[in-house]
């Protein structure tokens, strides 16, 4: 028999299970360690010295430091994460609203043209040409960005 065949006989299934379990716990430990370090830097309530102290404690004595941090400050870790997620979502929503609100639609352009015509500032022929430009996609609604050419009236 080859050496790999002997290994299969010498390493039973229960040992494989325990090895995989320990490997999983090892990975989970690093995930928890990184989450604690990120939370230390995320917390605005901690002073710089407190952040440095917790960071040194978690690096010098990682098992004890992480467990003490989770016991002492773990309750608020989730709250800080939720608060940051909400702030990011609000920033994203604000960005979307500003970006989407920057351009006017064809309907808005046609309404503005109708108001201008109703006031008598443009003739019916000018209104028709401007309406055709808006409806074909060559009007101000499609070219309202910074790269558009200036319109001459």
């Amino acid at each position: 028999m080859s050496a790999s065949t002997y290994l299969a006989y010498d390493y039973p299934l229960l040992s494989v299970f325990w090895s995989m379990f320990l490997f999983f716990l090892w990975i989970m430990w690093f995930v928890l360690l990184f989450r604690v370090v990120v939370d230390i830097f995320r917390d605005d309530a901690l002073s710089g010295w407190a952040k440095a102290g917790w960071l040194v404690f978690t690096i010098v004595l990682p098992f004890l430091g992480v467990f003490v941090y989770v016991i002492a400050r773990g309750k608020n870790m989730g709250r800080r994460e939720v608060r940051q997620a909400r702030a990011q979502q609000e920033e994203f929503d604000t960005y979307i609203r500003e970006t989407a609100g920057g351009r006017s639609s064809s309907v808005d352009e046609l309404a503005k043209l109708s108001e201008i015509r109703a006031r008598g500032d443009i003739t019916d022929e000018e209104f028709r040409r401007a309406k055709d430009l808006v409806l074909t996609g060559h009007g101000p609604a499609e070219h309202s960005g910074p790269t558009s050419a200036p319109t001459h009236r």
Side-chain angles (χ1 to χ4, degrees):
M1 290 188 177
S2 67
S4 62
T5 307
Y6 287 126
L7 180 62
Y9 288 119
D10 292 338
Y11 205 66
L13 185 61
L14 189 58
S15 294
V16 170
F17 170 75
W18 284 114
S19 296
M20 290 176 65
F21 182 71
L22 290 175
F23 182 72
F24 174 74
L25 287 178
W26 185 67
I27 295 297
M28 288 302 296
W29 168 253
F30 277 107
V31 169
L32 182 62
L33 177 66
F34 290 132
R35 287 196 58 168
V36 165
V37 169
V38 166
D39 189 65
I40 289 170
F41 286 109
R42 177 185 295 153
D43 191 6
D44 294 332
L46 286 176
S47 68
W49 288 105
K51 288 181 183 184
W54 276 113
L55 194 59
V56 167
F57 189 38
T58 56
I59 290 175
V60 172
L61 299 170
F63 289 109
L64 183 63
V66 168
F67 288 136
V68 169
Y69 186 85
V70 169
I71 290 169
R73 303 181 50 83
K75 181 179 177 183
N76 293 326
M77 281 177 69
R79 291 180 184 157
R80 284 187 288 275
E81 190 170 339
V82 167
R83 189 177 335 126
Q84 182 190 19
R86 284 185 182 151
Q88 285 178 341
Q89 183 67 40
E90 288 174 9
E91 289 176 11
F92 179 73
D93 292 344
T94 303
Y95 171 75
I96 293 295
R97 268 189 244 104
E98 289 173 359
T99 304
R103 293 186 177 170
S104 58
S105 68
S106 299
V107 175
D108 294 335
E109 293 292 328
L110 290 175
K112 289 177 188 175
L113 284 173
S114 294
E115 289 175 17
I116 293 172
R117 184 180 66 169
R119 285 194 313 248
D121 292 340
I122 60 173
T123 64
D124 288 337
E125 179 61 27
E126 291 172 330
F127 172 76
R128 187 187 59 75
R129 282 189 303 209
K131 182 177 82 168
D132 289 341
L133 285 174
V134 168
L135 292 177
T136 58
H138 299 293
E142 268 57 22
H143 298 292
S144 62
T147 60
S148 65
T151 56
H152 300 287
R153 293 186 188 220

